[in-house]
Amino acid sequence: MAGRKKDDTITADTFLEGVWRENPVFVMLLGMCPVLAVTNSVMNAIAMGVATTFVLIGSSTLVSLLRHVIPKQVRIATYIVIIATFVTIVDYIIQAISLDLYNALGAFIQLIVVNCIILGRAEAYASKNRPLKAVVSGLGMGAGFTLALLCLGSVRELLGSGTLLGFSVFGSQFEPWVVMILPPGGFFVLGGWLLLFNWLKERKEKTEVKEALHAR
Amino acid sequence: MHADSLTYIFLNAAIINNFVLALFLGICPFLGVSAKLKTAVSMGLAVMLVMLISSICAYAINSVLVSYDLEFLRLISYIAVIASAVQLVEMSMKKFSPALFRALGIFLPLITTNCAILGLALFQTTKEYDFVQSVSYSLGAGTGFILALVLMAGLREKLELAEVPSISQGAALSLMLAGILSLAFMGFAGLGA
């Protein structure tokens, strides 16, 4: 158990990894369904992000606490039941807070159960780490997911209805691009963000190659 | 067409509110296994089969839960049923049709986390469909899923040969394609009641 001590330390990286370098949406392309479906406004995006983060943290904690108790053979089934329990809680909480929001998000709150990010985290991370570390990492992943939802939500709401969080941005002359809040807009905007990231990455690689050549 | 008629329910699920392109359900397999036409068809058929089974099971479970006032257990029991339905399909397929089982390979167990299946079970509950309507709905949803997957796979097979800028290769291009497909399906939107 000598090597365990080192792995247990929680650094800023435990949190930041999920936000940027291993961003679940932009880098790992996980959990695409809610990303595309509920990002037609910023408010929906935030609500979905917070709900998913809550489930992620809750299930990570419980899985991590029970990691020595759960038998290997039935672990996936156990994880799914744990996740479904937290999703049911979130479902009722959102219903209690705001019925409008609940109707706007529709079935996608309950569909958090089948969000691959959460099951993936439970299997790959929470079942192997201490509760505290699993929570920090879950928080990072949740933040990364929320960030991605916001990236999509803000662009789509801005172009699709000319508003941001319900406030008008472009004034009354602006003709909204309705397609942006309709399903195709989701695909286009996410595709656009991925293009942007690919472009940035390629540019960075090119400058690195150039610098390396200059150094010689 | 009457909104409750079986034909309408079928067409609604398959085309007007296509599960993949209009409701964003099952995007992961849609992007993941649409690179080849052949695998796309097999995956689509497997999903359709699981949809039919889990739709029937969900209908039965829901009527039991409602009669005992246990609606809060709905989500947990649905997901448990879907997981076991997938297992059941896998086992029976292995026994009766090993060739098909081998063709589908890894895709079968992955169907459990396909949100189109859970979505179908939840939607049919919210819409309060009776047994026959549920079956029609699940068949429609399955057909729609196959349609989307096959269309996408056909496009991507052609794209393999096309010359595209290096930054748009992979997921970005697939998403743009999906957007255009979805745009095409928007044309049916007016048909919805």
Side-chain angles (χ1 to χ4, degrees):
Chain A
M1 283 294 161
R4 215 186 121 186
K5 200 84 199 153
K6 204 180 96 208
D7 292 335
D8 272 354
T9 47
I10 298 164
T11 55
D13 215 37
T14 318
F15 175 76
L16 286 176
E17 201 174 60
V19 180
W20 189 244
R21 199 150 38 83
E22 280 184 24
N23 188 296
V25 178
F26 291 135
V27 180
M28 300 202 287
L29 296 177
L30 288 177
M32 303 295 260
C33 307
V35 171
L36 293 165
V38 300
T39 50
N40 46 13
S41 79
V42 178
M43 197 56 220
N44 289 354
I46 295 174
M48 190 67 198
V50 172
T52 309
T53 310
F54 174 79
V55 176
L56 201 52
I57 293 172
S59 60
S60 289
T61 318
L62 208 56
V63 166
S64 182
L65 283 173
L66 296 174
R67 69 187 187 282
H68 298 304
V69 186
I70 300 171
K72 269 266 171 316
Q73 296 85 350
V74 293
R75 64 183 194 287
I76 300 286
T78 321
Y79 298 158
I80 288 190
V81 171
I82 291 174
I83 295 167
T85 314
F86 280 102
V87 173
T88 310
I89 296 172
V90 168
D91 189 56
Y92 280 94
I93 291 177
I94 295 185
Q95 250 182 90
I97 294 174
S98 161
L99 208 56
D100 287 337
L101 196 61
Y102 183 77
N103 290 332
L105 293 178
F108 279 95
I109 302 171
Q110 301 192 332
L111 286 175
I112 295 177
V113 178
V114 282
N115 191 328
C116 357
I117 299 172
I118 298 174
L119 191 62
R121 274 336 257 180
E123 163 76 6
Y125 204 89
S127 61
K128 295 186 184 114
N129 286 291
R130 276 187 313 149
L132 195 62
K133 198 176 177 192
V135 167
V136 173
S137 159
L139 203 61
M141 275 286 154
F145 185 68
T146 314
L147 182 79
L149 284 170
L150 272 177
C151 282
L152 263 88
S154 47
V155 173
R156 286 181 73 186
E157 191 181 334
L158 202 60
L159 295 177
S161 33
T163 58
L164 212 53
L165 271 172
F167 298 108
S168 176
V169 175
F170 294 133
S172 53
Q173 268 123 39
F174 179 71
E175 184 71 42
W177 308 7
V178 182
V179 70
M180 281 298 165
I181 45 172
L182 294 174
F187 287 115
F188 287 138
V189 174
L190 183 58
W193 277 106
L194 288 179
L195 274 182
L196 181 71
F197 288 136
N198 283 345
W199 180 68
L200 288 175
K201 207 171 123 194
E202 206 181 68
R203 212 178 59 158
K204 201 177 142 201
E205 274 164 12
K206 267 186 192 158
T207 43
E208 269 168 12
V209 169
K210 243 182 220 165
E211 274 166 13
L213 285 177
H214 271 291
R216 283 172 71 188
Chain B
M1 259 188 298
H2 196 257
D4 283 341
S5 77
L6 295 181
T7 340
Y8 176 77
I9 291 173
F10 180 85
L11 285 179
N12 181 36
I15 293 175
I16 304 168
N17 285 316
N18 186 289
F19 265 52
V20 179
L21 295 168
L23 299 178
F24 296 121
L25 295 167
I27 299 286
C28 300
F30 175 65
L31 294 176
V33 294
S34 62
K36 281 211 190 96
L37 200 55
K38 220 175 149 200
T39 45
V41 175
S42 318
M43 178 67 180
L45 286 173
V47 167
M48 193 171 172
L49 189 64
V50 176
M51 270 181 171
L52 185 63
I53 296 173
S54 49
S55 157
I56 294 171
C57 296
Y59 178 78
I61 287 182
N62 191 43
S63 41
V64 173
L65 288 183
V66 166
S67 63
Y68 286 104
D69 281 331
L70 289 172
E71 280 98 340
F72 63 89
L73 285 177
R74 195 181 278 150
L75 193 61
I76 298 178
S77 36
Y78 278 5
I79 191 78
V81 159
I82 290 170
S84 17
V86 172
Q87 193 77 45
L88 201 71
V89 169
E90 202 180 334
M91 271 153 49
S92 50
M93 209 177 256
K94 204 173 183 177
K95 181 140 172 45
F96 296 114
S97 166
L100 192 60
F101 178 77
R102 272 197 302 277
L104 288 175
I106 178 80
F107 300 134
L108 263 179
L110 281 182
I111 298 175
T112 315
T113 51
N114 183 340
C115 43
I117 314 241
L118 184 63
L120 174 88
L122 292 171
F123 284 145
Q124 77 175 31
T125 316
T126 352
K127 293 186 177 179
E128 291 175 350
Y129 283 152
D130 64 23
F131 181 70
V132 187
Q133 285 170 328
S134 299
V135 170
S136 168
Y137 191 57
S138 67
L139 287 176
T143 315
F145 189 79
I146 296 178
L147 190 66
L149 221 61
V150 166
L151 281 174
M152 188 70 180
L155 285 172
R156 280 179 70 175
E157 274 191 353
K158 292 273 178 222
L159 264 185
E160 287 282 295
L161 304 169
E163 231 175 87
V164 291
S166 60
I167 54 162
S168 65
Q169 261 160 10
L173 192 63
S174 306
L175 281 165
M176 289 293 176
L177 266 186
I180 296 169
L181 263 185
S182 168
L183 209 54
F185 270 76
M186 286 290 304
F188 296 109
L191 293 173

